[in-house]
Amino acid sequence: MEASLRSAAFGDGVPPPNSFAVPASPRGRLLAAIGLGARGRYAAAATLLNGLRASKDPVLASLAASTLASHRRQLGGHAAALVLDGEALALVITEPRGEPDPDGLDAEGARADALLGLAADNLGRGRLAAARRLVARAEAHIGNWRSRTRAGWVAAEIELASNISAAAIAPAEMALETARTRGARRHVLKSQLVLGVTMANGTSAERDRAKTLVESARETAEKYEFNSLLWVACLLAADLGAGHADEYRFRSAELLHAVLRHADPCGRWLARESPWVPL
Protein backbone atom coordinates (compact mmCIF):
# COMPACT_ATOMS: atom_id res chain seq x y z
CA MET A 1 0.00 0.00 0.00
CA GLU A 2 2.80 2.45 0.84
CA ALA A 3 4.20 2.32 -2.69
CA SER A 4 0.75 3.01 -4.13
CA LEU A 5 0.21 5.90 -1.74
CA ARG A 6 3.58 7.42 -2.66
CA SER A 7 2.80 7.12 -6.35
CA ALA A 8 -0.55 8.83 -5.79
CA ALA A 9 1.03 11.61 -3.70
CA PHE A 10 4.12 12.32 -5.78
CA GLY A 11 3.75 10.54 -9.11
CA ASP A 12 1.13 9.62 -11.67
CA GLY A 13 -0.60 6.91 -9.67
CA VAL A 14 -4.15 6.89 -8.38
CA PRO A 15 -5.18 6.13 -4.79
CA PRO A 16 -5.60 2.41 -4.07
CA PRO A 17 -9.19 1.22 -3.57
CA ASN A 18 -8.75 1.20 0.20
CA SER A 19 -6.97 4.59 0.30
CA PHE A 20 -9.15 5.78 3.17
CA ALA A 21 -8.05 2.89 5.38
CA VAL A 22 -5.39 3.82 7.95
CA PRO A 23 -2.00 2.39 6.89
CA ALA A 24 -0.01 0.52 9.48
CA SER A 25 3.29 2.36 9.04
CA PRO A 26 3.86 5.99 10.10
CA ARG A 27 5.28 6.82 6.65
CA GLY A 28 2.19 5.28 5.07
CA ARG A 29 -0.05 7.45 7.26
CA LEU A 30 1.85 10.56 6.17
CA LEU A 31 1.42 9.64 2.52
CA ALA A 32 -2.25 8.86 3.08
CA ALA A 33 -2.75 12.27 4.72
CA ILE A 34 -1.09 13.99 1.76
CA GLY A 35 -3.48 12.20 -0.60
CA LEU A 36 -6.49 13.00 1.56
CA GLY A 37 -5.56 16.68 1.63
CA ALA A 38 -5.20 16.77 -2.14
CA ARG A 39 -8.78 15.54 -2.40
CA GLY A 40 -10.01 18.14 0.05
CA ARG A 41 -10.64 15.65 2.86
CA TYR A 42 -8.98 17.87 5.42
CA ALA A 43 -10.58 16.45 8.57
CA ALA A 44 -9.40 12.91 7.83
CA ALA A 45 -5.95 14.24 6.94
CA ALA A 46 -5.74 16.32 10.14
CA THR A 47 -6.55 13.27 12.27
CA LEU A 48 -3.59 11.39 10.80
CA LEU A 49 -1.24 14.38 10.84
CA ASN A 50 -1.95 15.40 14.42
CA GLY A 51 -1.09 11.88 15.52
CA LEU A 52 2.16 11.95 13.54
CA ARG A 53 3.18 15.32 15.02
CA ALA A 54 3.74 13.44 18.30
CA SER A 55 6.10 10.95 16.64
CA LYS A 56 9.49 10.33 18.26
CA ASP A 57 10.98 10.59 14.76
CA PRO A 58 11.64 14.34 14.40
CA VAL A 59 11.72 14.20 10.60
CA LEU A 60 8.35 12.48 10.37
CA ALA A 61 6.85 14.82 12.98
CA SER A 62 8.22 17.83 11.07
CA LEU A 63 6.83 16.63 7.76
CA ALA A 64 3.45 16.06 9.39
CA ALA A 65 3.41 19.59 10.83
CA SER A 66 4.41 21.09 7.46
CA THR A 67 1.74 19.10 5.67
CA LEU A 68 -0.94 20.22 8.11
CA ALA A 69 0.33 23.79 7.68
CA SER A 70 -0.14 23.53 3.91
CA HIS A 71 -3.72 22.34 4.43
CA ARG A 72 -4.42 25.27 6.76
CA ARG A 73 -2.91 27.62 4.18
CA GLN A 74 -5.09 26.16 1.43
CA LEU A 75 -8.08 27.25 3.51
CA GLY A 76 -6.65 30.75 3.96
CA GLY A 77 -5.25 30.20 7.45
CA HIS A 78 -1.79 31.70 7.03
CA ALA A 79 -1.38 32.66 10.70
CA ALA A 80 -2.29 29.15 11.85
CA ALA A 81 0.05 27.68 9.25
CA LEU A 82 2.87 29.94 10.47
CA VAL A 83 2.76 28.32 13.91
CA LEU A 84 2.82 24.82 12.41
CA ASP A 85 5.68 25.61 10.02
CA GLY A 86 7.63 27.09 12.92
CA GLU A 87 7.06 23.85 14.82
CA ALA A 88 8.21 21.87 11.77
CA LEU A 89 11.45 23.85 11.46
CA ALA A 90 12.25 23.62 15.19
CA LEU A 91 11.99 19.82 15.02
CA VAL A 92 14.67 19.42 12.32
CA ILE A 93 16.80 22.55 12.52
CA THR A 94 19.78 20.57 13.90
CA GLU A 95 18.82 17.12 12.61
CA PRO A 96 21.61 15.32 10.66
CA ARG A 97 21.03 14.90 6.93
CA GLY A 98 20.52 11.16 7.14
CA GLU A 99 19.53 8.94 4.24
CA PRO A 100 18.12 10.95 1.31
CA ASP A 101 14.61 10.28 0.05
CA PRO A 102 13.80 10.79 -3.67
CA ASP A 103 10.70 12.83 -2.82
CA GLY A 104 12.21 14.86 -0.01
CA LEU A 105 10.77 12.89 2.91
CA ASP A 106 14.07 13.31 4.76
CA ALA A 107 15.74 15.84 7.06
CA GLU A 108 16.83 18.21 4.30
CA GLY A 109 13.44 17.97 2.60
CA ALA A 110 11.72 18.64 5.93
CA ARG A 111 13.86 21.75 6.48
CA ALA A 112 13.06 22.96 2.97
CA ASP A 113 9.34 22.27 3.50
CA ALA A 114 9.30 24.25 6.74
CA LEU A 115 11.22 27.23 5.35
CA LEU A 116 9.18 27.39 2.13
CA GLY A 117 6.03 27.02 4.20
CA LEU A 118 7.11 29.93 6.39
CA ALA A 119 7.79 31.94 3.25
CA ALA A 120 4.29 31.22 1.94
CA ASP A 121 2.79 32.06 5.34
CA ASN A 122 4.55 35.42 5.40
CA LEU A 123 3.56 36.06 1.80
CA GLY A 124 -0.09 35.48 2.66
CA ARG A 125 0.22 38.00 5.48
CA GLY A 126 1.78 40.64 3.22
CA ARG A 127 5.34 40.30 4.56
CA LEU A 128 7.11 40.11 1.22
CA ALA A 129 10.62 40.92 2.43
CA ALA A 130 10.44 38.15 5.03
CA ALA A 131 9.08 35.76 2.41
CA ARG A 132 12.00 36.51 0.09
CA ARG A 133 14.54 35.94 2.87
CA LEU A 134 12.98 32.60 3.77
CA VAL A 135 13.01 31.39 0.15
CA ALA A 136 16.69 32.36 -0.07
CA ARG A 137 17.39 30.50 3.17
CA ALA A 138 15.58 27.42 1.89
CA GLU A 139 17.86 27.22 -1.16
CA ALA A 140 20.62 25.60 0.89
CA HIS A 141 18.32 22.66 1.65
CA ILE A 142 16.77 22.11 -1.77
CA GLY A 143 18.08 18.89 -3.27
CA ASN A 144 15.00 17.10 -4.55
CA TRP A 145 12.42 17.73 -7.24
CA ARG A 146 9.57 18.42 -4.82
CA SER A 147 11.40 21.17 -2.94
CA ARG A 148 12.49 22.76 -6.23
CA THR A 149 8.91 22.72 -7.47
CA ARG A 150 7.56 24.28 -4.29
CA ALA A 151 10.31 26.89 -4.31
CA GLY A 152 9.25 27.85 -7.83
CA TRP A 153 5.64 28.28 -6.73
CA VAL A 154 6.51 30.50 -3.79
CA ALA A 155 9.04 32.56 -5.75
CA ALA A 156 6.48 33.17 -8.49
CA GLU A 157 3.80 34.12 -5.98
CA ILE A 158 6.17 36.60 -4.30
CA GLU A 159 6.78 38.34 -7.63
CA LEU A 160 3.05 38.41 -8.35
CA ALA A 161 2.39 39.95 -4.95
CA SER A 162 5.10 42.51 -5.74
CA ASN A 163 3.30 43.36 -9.00
CA ILE A 164 6.22 42.08 -11.09
CA SER A 165 4.39 39.54 -13.27
CA ALA A 166 7.22 39.23 -15.79
CA ALA A 167 9.64 38.13 -13.05
CA ALA A 168 7.13 35.52 -11.86
CA ILE A 169 7.14 33.59 -15.14
CA ALA A 170 10.64 32.06 -14.89
CA PRO A 171 10.21 30.36 -11.47
CA ALA A 172 6.73 29.20 -12.47
CA GLU A 173 8.09 27.70 -15.71
CA MET A 174 10.85 26.00 -13.72
CA ALA A 175 8.33 24.50 -11.31
CA LEU A 176 6.24 23.12 -14.17
CA GLU A 177 9.24 21.62 -15.96
CA THR A 178 10.53 20.05 -12.72
CA ALA A 179 7.17 18.48 -11.92
CA ARG A 180 6.73 17.22 -15.49
CA THR A 181 10.18 15.63 -15.45
CA ARG A 182 9.27 13.80 -12.25
CA GLY A 183 5.89 12.80 -13.65
CA ALA A 184 4.13 14.21 -10.59
CA ARG A 185 0.56 14.71 -11.75
CA ARG A 186 -0.68 16.82 -8.84
CA HIS A 187 2.41 19.04 -8.84
CA VAL A 188 2.11 19.53 -12.60
CA LEU A 189 -1.49 20.57 -12.07
CA LYS A 190 -0.64 23.20 -9.45
CA SER A 191 2.33 24.41 -11.49
CA GLN A 192 0.00 24.95 -14.45
CA LEU A 193 -2.28 27.07 -12.26
CA VAL A 194 0.62 29.15 -10.91
CA LEU A 195 2.08 29.68 -14.38
CA GLY A 196 -1.36 30.51 -15.76
CA VAL A 197 -1.79 33.25 -13.16
CA THR A 198 1.61 34.74 -14.01
CA MET A 199 0.53 35.09 -17.66
CA ALA A 200 -3.06 36.17 -17.10
CA ASN A 201 -2.32 39.86 -17.67
CA GLY A 202 0.38 39.44 -20.30
CA THR A 203 0.33 39.58 -24.07
CA SER A 204 -2.45 38.05 -26.09
CA ALA A 205 -0.34 34.95 -26.68
CA GLU A 206 0.47 34.65 -22.97
CA ARG A 207 -3.18 35.04 -22.03
CA ASP A 208 -4.12 32.31 -24.51
CA ARG A 209 -1.50 30.05 -22.99
CA ALA A 210 -2.81 30.87 -19.52
CA LYS A 211 -6.29 29.72 -20.56
CA THR A 212 -4.87 26.49 -21.98
CA LEU A 213 -2.84 25.79 -18.84
CA VAL A 214 -5.73 26.45 -16.49
CA GLU A 215 -8.17 24.39 -18.54
CA SER A 216 -5.71 21.48 -18.62
CA ALA A 217 -5.31 21.75 -14.85
CA ARG A 218 -9.07 21.89 -14.37
CA GLU A 219 -9.62 18.76 -16.45
CA THR A 220 -6.92 16.84 -14.56
CA ALA A 221 -8.25 17.94 -11.18
CA GLU A 222 -11.78 16.92 -12.20
CA LYS A 223 -10.64 13.52 -13.46
CA TYR A 224 -8.61 12.62 -10.37
CA GLU A 225 -10.80 14.42 -7.80
CA PHE A 226 -8.10 16.82 -6.61
CA ASN A 227 -10.83 18.95 -5.06
CA SER A 228 -8.42 21.12 -3.07
CA LEU A 229 -7.23 22.50 -6.42
CA LEU A 230 -10.33 21.96 -8.55
CA TRP A 231 -12.36 24.76 -6.99
CA VAL A 232 -9.41 27.11 -7.57
CA ALA A 233 -9.01 25.95 -11.19
CA CYS A 234 -12.70 26.55 -11.88
CA LEU A 235 -12.49 30.05 -10.40
CA LEU A 236 -9.38 30.88 -12.45
CA ALA A 237 -11.03 29.56 -15.62
CA ALA A 238 -13.97 31.87 -15.02
CA ASP A 239 -11.69 34.84 -14.29
CA LEU A 240 -9.73 34.24 -17.49
CA GLY A 241 -12.90 34.58 -19.51
CA ALA A 242 -13.13 30.94 -20.54
CA GLY A 243 -16.39 29.72 -22.01
CA HIS A 244 -19.08 28.79 -19.48
CA ALA A 245 -17.69 31.31 -16.95
CA ASP A 246 -20.92 31.39 -14.92
CA GLU A 247 -21.00 27.62 -14.83
CA TYR A 248 -17.38 27.52 -13.62
CA ARG A 249 -18.09 30.04 -10.86
CA PHE A 250 -21.05 27.98 -9.69
CA ARG A 251 -18.98 24.81 -9.82
CA SER A 252 -16.17 26.48 -7.86
CA ALA A 253 -18.55 27.55 -5.09
CA GLU A 254 -20.14 24.09 -5.03
CA LEU A 255 -16.74 22.40 -4.72
CA LEU A 256 -15.50 24.79 -2.05
CA HIS A 257 -18.52 24.11 0.12
CA ALA A 258 -18.05 20.37 -0.40
CA VAL A 259 -14.42 20.72 0.69
CA LEU A 260 -15.47 22.63 3.79
CA ARG A 261 -17.94 19.89 4.69
CA HIS A 262 -14.95 17.54 4.82
CA ALA A 263 -12.79 19.94 6.84
CA ASP A 264 -12.29 19.82 10.59
CA PRO A 265 -13.82 22.62 12.71
CA CYS A 266 -10.54 24.55 12.78
CA GLY A 267 -10.25 24.42 8.99
CA ARG A 268 -13.82 25.61 8.50
CA TRP A 269 -13.31 28.49 10.92
CA LEU A 270 -10.10 29.55 9.18
CA ALA A 271 -11.85 29.57 5.79
CA ARG A 272 -14.75 31.65 7.11
CA GLU A 273 -12.38 34.21 8.62
CA SER A 274 -9.98 34.38 5.67
CA PRO A 275 -10.05 37.17 3.06
CA TRP A 276 -8.53 34.67 0.59
CA VAL A 277 -11.43 32.19 0.52
CA PRO A 278 -14.48 33.41 -1.49
CA LEU A 279 -17.32 32.36 0.79
Side-chain angles (χ1 to χ4, degrees):
M1 177 185 283
E2 189 170 317
S4 297
L5 289 168
R6 183 182 284 260
S7 179
F10 302 133
D12 62 357
V14 296
N18 57 343
S19 61
F20 296 125
V22 178
S25 71
R27 180 65 60 90
R29 291 197 292 278
L30 175 66
L31 292 167
I34 292 169
L36 286 164
R39 284 156 183 80
R41 301 183 70 93
Y42 291 122
T47 298
L48 294 176
L49 294 169
N50 281 322
L52 292 169
R53 285 168 62 200
S55 171
K56 293 182 180 179
D57 178 347
V59 172
L60 186 67
S62 175
L63 290 166
S66 290
T67 302
L68 184 57
S70 73
H71 295 173
R72 298 307 192 210
R73 202 160 46 243
Q74 287 162 17
L75 292 175
H78 294 85
L82 187 73
V83 175
L84 288 162
D85 282 317
E87 173 188 317
L89 183 60
L91 284 164
V92 291
I93 190 68
T94 60
E95 190 70 13
R97 285 176 177 264
E99 190 70 24
D101 181 272
D103 300 312
L105 302 184
D106 51 35
E108 283 289 77
R111 280 187 280 271
D113 276 0
L115 287 164
L116 292 170
L118 287 167
D121 302 331
N122 278 277
L123 171 61
R125 304 186 75 194
R127 300 170 178 173
L128 301 187
R132 288 184 188 277
R133 288 195 298 271
L134 285 158
V135 170
R137 186 177 169 190
E139 288 293 333
H141 306 287
I142 293 174
N144 66 84
W145 71 271
R146 189 172 62 82
S147 295
R148 284 194 297 275
T149 301
R150 295 186 70 230
W153 295 342
V154 180
E157 289 163 359
I158 290 172
E159 299 303 342
L160 286 170
S162 304
N163 294 316
I164 313 176
S165 297
I169 293 175
E173 290 273 23
M174 181 276 292
L176 179 56
E177 180 59 30
T178 302
R180 278 180 171 161
T181 299
R182 171 60 177 84
R185 179 182 289 123
R186 182 169 56 88
H187 292 74
V188 168
L189 189 167
K190 180 167 179 179
S191 298
Q192 289 175 318
L193 294 178
V194 173
L195 182 55
V197 172
T198 70
M199 296 182 167
N201 295 315
T203 65
S204 175
E206 287 175 337
R207 189 172 176 84
D208 286 343
R209 187 181 177 205
K211 291 179 182 179
T212 300
L213 287 164
V214 169
E215 181 59 17
S216 174
R218 188 196 64 77
E219 290 175 352
T220 300
E222 186 87 58
K223 181 176 180 180
Y224 295 100
E225 299 182 354
F226 292 136
N227 290 337
S228 64
L229 292 170
L230 180 53
W231 74 266
V232 179
C234 288
L235 194 59
L236 285 176
D239 289 345
L240 283 167
H244 312 292
D246 289 342
E247 179 183 331
Y248 284 151
R249 288 189 195 283
F250 177 82
R251 178 70 171 137
S252 177
E254 183 180 53
L255 285 160
L256 176 56
H257 283 89
V259 164
L260 293 178
R261 285 196 299 273
H262 288 97
D264 59 316
C266 177
R268 288 195 295 272
W269 182 84
L270 290 171
R272 285 196 301 269
E273 295 296 313
S274 175
W276 300 104
V277 179
L279 289 174

